Amino acid sequence: MYIPKYYKVKNVDEIWDFVQKNSFGTIVTTEQGKPIATHLPLGLNKKGDDYYITGHMAYGNPQWKTFETCEDVLVMFQGSNAYISSSWYGHEEVPTWNYQAVHVYGNASILEKDELIEELTLMLEKYEENRENPVLWDKLSPHLLESELKGIVGFKIKVGEIQAADKLSQNRNETDYINIIDKLQNEGNSNSKQMAELMEKRLKNHI
């Protein structure tokens, strides 16, 4: 991923926090030179000094069969994004787009059944935690679980390389930066409001 120096994120804890909060990712592999991708919820686990991206996909999805032959699997996570009009600057310029993104590269392998159950248990706990009637692994019938397990393939990706970008108008002067936040807050859509909040948080952290 091309990342100008203004936007490169180097803090590993910050990157993994972003991944946890934006865990619906895209897995990209190649088959006979052709890129293929799957969009799905993913988990993040640490064992010793190693990080792993975990997840599962339908058994009928042929992408899992490429894990053995693909040297590097690419996993992409995307956060907030918003169009930035150059009319918000104090000088002539062209428009741009602000965004957050993380790319993770690593080697993939298939989970054993007990590892898959652990991954599914953790995923349910994460997403059902604050629900009124949480659907947790140990509350579901064994018959249903065994049936569902036959239809999915679990995997883990040992993280090798991380690339992270926060393009939040860091290259603009303070006056333009504050004006961009104000304009985004009044755009009337959720993406713009989320970007304004991120930029405002960054501004407070750098004062």
Side-chain angles (χ1 to χ4, degrees):
M1 175 168 55
Y2 170 64
I3 311 175
K5 63 179 181 180
Y6 296 112
Y7 313 131
K8 190 170 186 177
V9 182
K10 298 179 181 179
N11 187 307
V12 175
D13 291 335
E14 185 179 335
I15 293 171
W16 290 136
D17 182 62
F18 173 87
V19 168
Q20 294 276 33
K21 292 176 179 176
N22 299 274
S23 55
F24 191 80
T26 303
I27 292 184
V28 181
T29 59
T30 57
E31 184 177 30
Q32 297 180 345
K34 182 179 180 180
I36 53 176
T38 300
H39 310 272
L40 69 178
L42 298 165
L44 174 66
N45 297 293
K46 185 179 182 183
K47 294 185 178 180
D49 294 328
D50 296 322
Y51 285 91
Y52 292 86
I53 302 295
T54 59
H56 63 277
M57 60 179 62
Y59 183 84
N61 183 341
Q63 187 177 19
W64 65 267
K65 297 177 183 178
T66 67
F67 289 160
E68 290 184 2
T69 57
C70 195
E71 262 186 45
D72 269 323
V73 174
L74 168 61
V75 188
M76 299 184 290
F77 300 92
Q78 186 168 323
S80 300
N81 68 91
Y83 176 77
I84 307 299
S85 172
S86 56
S87 66
W88 301 342
Y89 305 151
H91 58 282
E92 186 180 27
E93 187 56 275
V94 294
T96 189
W97 208 285
N98 279 3
Y99 65 90
Q100 291 181 297
V102 169
H103 286 190
V104 175
Y105 294 87
N107 296 318
S109 57
I110 302 302
L111 294 178
E112 299 292 339
K113 182 178 179 180
D114 59 335
E115 293 178 307
L116 174 57
I117 291 174
E118 180 183 359
E119 189 268 330
L120 293 170
T121 301
L122 292 173
M123 184 170 284
L124 285 173
E125 288 175 353
K126 176 181 178 180
Y127 294 110
E128 294 283 343
E129 182 180 15
N130 297 313
R131 304 199 180 264
E132 186 176 348
N133 298 299
V135 179
L136 300 174
W137 184 267
D138 58 4
K139 291 185 178 181
L140 294 168
S141 69
H143 175 75
L144 173 64
L145 295 175
E146 283 298 323
S147 174
E148 291 300 315
L149 284 172
K150 293 176 182 177
I152 60 176
V153 176
F155 59 85
K156 60 182 176 182
I157 300 166
K158 185 179 179 181
V159 175
E161 181 183 354
I162 313 165
Q163 300 172 356
D166 276 2
K167 186 176 180 294
L168 306 177
S169 298
Q170 297 96 317
N171 58 331
R172 299 299 167 188
N173 62 55
E174 186 175 345
T175 300
D176 285 349
Y177 192 92
I178 293 172
N179 193 48
I180 293 168
I181 293 173
D182 180 65
K183 296 296 185 182
L184 286 171
Q185 288 172 335
N186 291 286
E187 280 281 274
N189 66 75
S190 58
N191 278 339
S192 294
K193 289 183 182 297
Q194 289 172 9
M195 180 55 64
E197 290 172 4
L198 284 168
M199 291 178 63
E200 194 166 33
K201 181 179 179 181
R202 180 186 175 276
L203 181 63
K204 289 178 180 177
N205 290 339
H206 288 79
I207 291 177

